[in-house]
Every structure is written in C-alpha cells, then in structure tokens.
C-alpha cells in the first residue's frame, strides 16, 4: 500500500502519522478550520485523490447489484464473498465491452 485516499471523516493527525510511519502516503483532505487547511488541501495530488471517487462508485454499483450484506460469519469467508462479487462485476464489465 503506497497511498490511502479517504474522505474528511478520517481527518485525524494521529491516523496520518501512523500511515506515514508505515510508509503510506495519506491522501485525506483536511477539514477547513483555518486558512492553512486550504493550503494543505491544495498540495494533494488531484489525480490520485480522484481515484477515491472511482472506487466508491464501483463499490456502490456492486452493493446495488449483488446486495450489501455478506452471509458468511468468518472474516476469511466474508473476504471470499467480497472478492467473488468484485470478480463477477469485472467479468460483467468485460463482457459488456
């Protein structure tokens, strides 16, 4: 993981510092409380940050198409369900093209 794009709900300095300590670049917009927050937000690479909206769109389509609940109880089976739903979505998109 090289970078993490998140919305303003994850705007916490402790979280940012933990990401940086692990070598992950946080792409999280700052909540604007002071003029320097605008400057922080201006330094974020828009091309990388905008990938977040693409991911959210795909997640939304998958949830609407296949349901938002997983039926498995164990985390590894839940992970398999999510991966399978994403794979089916990718196959559907490939067939459409």
């Amino acid at each position: 993981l090289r970078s993490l794009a998140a919305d303003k709900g994850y705007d916490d300095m402790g979280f940012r510092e933990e990401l940086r300590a692990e070598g992950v670049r946080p792409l999280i917009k700052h909540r604007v409380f002071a003029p320097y927050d605008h400057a922080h937000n201006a330094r974020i690479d828009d091309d990388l940050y905008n990938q977040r909206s693409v991911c959210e769109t795909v997640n939304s389509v998958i949830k609407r198409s296949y349901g938002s609940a997983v039926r498995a109880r164990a985390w590894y089976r839940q992970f398999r369900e999510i991966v399978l739903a994403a794979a089916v979505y990718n196959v559907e998109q490939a067939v459409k093209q």
Side-chain angles (χ1 to χ4, degrees), residues 35-86:
Y36 55 82
D37 291 329
H38 287 289
H40 287 302
N41 289 341
R43 291 180 18 215
I44 291 178
D45 185 2
D46 285 336
D47 291 336
L48 291 175
Y49 184 75
N50 289 339
Q51 288 296 313
R52 181 184 141 264
S53 63
V54 173
C55 293
E56 287 184 4
T57 300
V58 170
N59 287 335
S60 175
V61 169
I62 289 173
K63 284 168 41 174
R64 281 186 277 121
S65 299
Y66 310 118
S68 61
V70 292
R71 285 144 190 86
R73 292 186 182 192
W75 70 267
Y76 54 91
R77 289 191 178 122
Q78 291 174 350
F79 181 76
R80 273 195 247 163
E81 280 187 49
I82 294 168
V83 169
L84 182 60

Side-chain angles (χ1 to χ4, degrees), residues 6-13 16 20 25-50 52:
D7 62 1
K8 294 177 187 178
Y10 295 94
D11 181 30
D12 179 47
M13 286 310 291
R16 290 173 190 274
R20 288 187 183 110
R25 180 180 176 198
L27 296 172
I28 304 169
K29 296 265 184 177
H30 290 260
R31 284 184 251 177
V32 179
F33 295 116
Y36 55 82
D37 291 329
H38 287 289
H40 287 302
N41 289 341
R43 291 180 18 215
I44 291 178
D45 185 2
D46 285 336
D47 291 336
L48 291 175
Y49 184 75
N50 289 339
R52 181 184 141 264

